[in-house]
Amino acid sequence: MAASIRDVAREAGVSVGTVSNVLNRPEIVAAGTVARVTQAIEQLGFVRNDAARQLRAGRSTSFGLVVLDTRNPFFMDLAHGAQRRAIDDGYTVLMGGSDDSPQREHSILEMFEEHRVAGVLISPVDTDLTQLWRLRQAGIPVVLVDRGSSDRSFSSVSVDDVEGGRIAARHLLELGRRRIAFVGGPLGIKQVSDRVNGATSVVAETSGATLEVRETRALSVLEGRRIAEEIIALPADRRPDAVFAANDLLAMGVLQAFVMTGSLRVPEDIALIGYDDIDFASAAVVPITSVRQPAVEIGATAVGLLLSEAQAGADATREQIEFTPELVVRASTVGGA
Amino acid sequence: MAASIRDVAREAGVSVGTVSNVLNRPEIVAAGTVARVTQAIEQLGFVRNDAARQLRAGRSTSFGLVVLDTRNPFFMDLAHGAQRRAIDDGYTVLMGGSDDSPQREHSILEMFEEHRVAGVLISPVDTDLTQLWRLRQAGIPVVLVDRGSSDRSFSSVSVDDVEGGRIAARHLLELGRRRIAFVGGPLGIKQVSDRVNGATSVVAETSGATLEVRETRALSVLEGRRIAEEIIALPADRRPDAVFAANDLLAMGVLQAFVMTGSLRVPEDIALIGYDDIDFASAAVVPITSVRQPAVEIGATAVGLLLSEAQAGADATREQIEFTPELVVRASTVGGA
DNA sequence: TCACTCTTTTGAAACGCTTCAATAACGACT
DNA sequence: AGTCGTTATTGAAGCGTTTCAAAAGAGTGA
């Protein structure tokens, strides 16, 4: 059906090798020949077959990106950064969302491996990283995004989540809040547990302060709403005076539930802080205080590491890059602001 | 480096054909042989090479999806719907964002064609659809998403945007607003112009009502802010009393500018209505009234059409499916609500 | 024992591309 | 005229699959 390089060669009266050269290194082909071949390509509407090209080359010209949630603006920004950086170097980014499911993560990675991607960027759900080791062994560089590699065995681009947790908790404590509820999960996700730990450490140093963890099944708006309803249902004396949500989606869900039911005023009755600082956080009913992560930059940097690791081959040096999170104060914690 | 089917065959003491059969139609292979081959696969860590597979098959097992903006939650929801439906049938979805640029759209489509995707879903920026015709001629089915095919030459899944425009305008007029500003663009995008036309037709029937179009360069929050600043700068007597934004991102930008500068109250001084009803619209500072489009369903339905068109081959019947938009009233138009 | 099924397995032929050693063409210089 | 460089082109090999006609086994009944 579709024209092949062979058809083009026949049409232009040259050999297939020459057509291939016109496609890939036109500078080594005589100008007249280039013209004739180009003309034939036009004529036949020839389009290169990527599968054949890759088969020959042995590796694809795409990177794979696995994120926790394709509908989370934070990850979309991250993907955007990755894509931009990749395009500059002639690469393409394939994205898959694991939706917090290890099985789904597994099958996405399997797909990437079958595709012989040039590298994998991943924000893992699965605590077990053996599949990633396997990938590397198969010659596919792996870079962790939005989470560090505790034993430095993988390159990574992350934000110091423990510090982020500390920043959030400290902010709430400085405002005089003492009964903090942490909303987030699954706790198996390192980013989440790091944030809890950071918060816990700060709370522990403050007398009279407590931190209660309410684990969610996902980092979504819906889960936020669910937990908020639980909180609303609590008797007033057992109710927290501040909520630290593991990400802005959860924070928005929490906020919606509080505002809609009109049961609790933010921040008067209960302060709220999120994480990520997605664009929508600032536009919320009550603009949400958040701990900012530079999503676009993380994505771009990660692709950079991938490129250099791909270049260097098997014995590349692993590099851990860590950004510092930044507090963005808004009305959800400081009423007047 | 990586093990091939040939290595597996040697290890298991069978021919390559048999290994392939174990992989693809295990039921025709003797149980003992299957076991031996599976064992060898495990042993060698063999992973199928997708490029070779596709080369042989002639077509990929992925669909391509081209959207206007990968960071717009509406399109992410659409993509999500598409992906879910596709996975059920063993397909994968590749996504690219045209960012309102015809060139970028062109190059994404080219990439998809080189990839020999099994079909293309597209929300086109380019008014010139010849490239899509070319694709179809090359045997790749094409389905338009979020926009109809006026001459019925393509299958499509859309929402009646003219009606959506009417609904929005009618709502504003019923609230007594008369000076409406339409914010959106580029007007070359059919969804946008349809919405303008719908609104215009309703406004024309109402004496004393006017509609002024303010074209944007993109459908983004930033552009919304820019236009809002223009509006704020207007002398009070030339200022509109309502804004109809072509999508919720613009509406959020507009809202942010109004609220932050504190110059105009929504909806008292100026009413605001958006389009798409993305999740974040309801969580905005002032919850935004919007015209809802069923994003997830559109994506899923479109993949359905693609599947049946791919099945049917060249002379498939084109089908145009049109959803009806739905008004969702919130505080940005009706203060008390 | 032979002819005939029915089930398994085999091995070679593509699929469309890139690469690379070999060849051809053509002046320029001896 | 012959030799040497340069520059342009050729054509075959091979990447890892799948497919398919053919071969090989294994029963069965005569």
Side-chain angles (χ1 to χ4, degrees), chain A residues 69-71 99, chain B residues 65 75-85 296 299-300:
Chain A
D69 175 10
T70 44
R71 298 162 98 177
D99 293 333
Chain B
L65 166 63
F75 286 114
M76 289 317 299
D77 288 348
L78 193 156
H80 197 250
Q83 196 138 42
R84 291 250 291 230
R85 180 73 176 76
V296 176

Side-chain angles (χ1 to χ4, degrees), chain A residues 159 275-277 290-295 297 324-328:
Chain A
V159 177
Y275 208 105
D276 289 347
D277 190 31
S290 192
V291 179
R292 180 173 152 62
Q293 306 198 81
E297 215 170 336
T324 306
E326 197 181 318
L327 181 69
V328 182

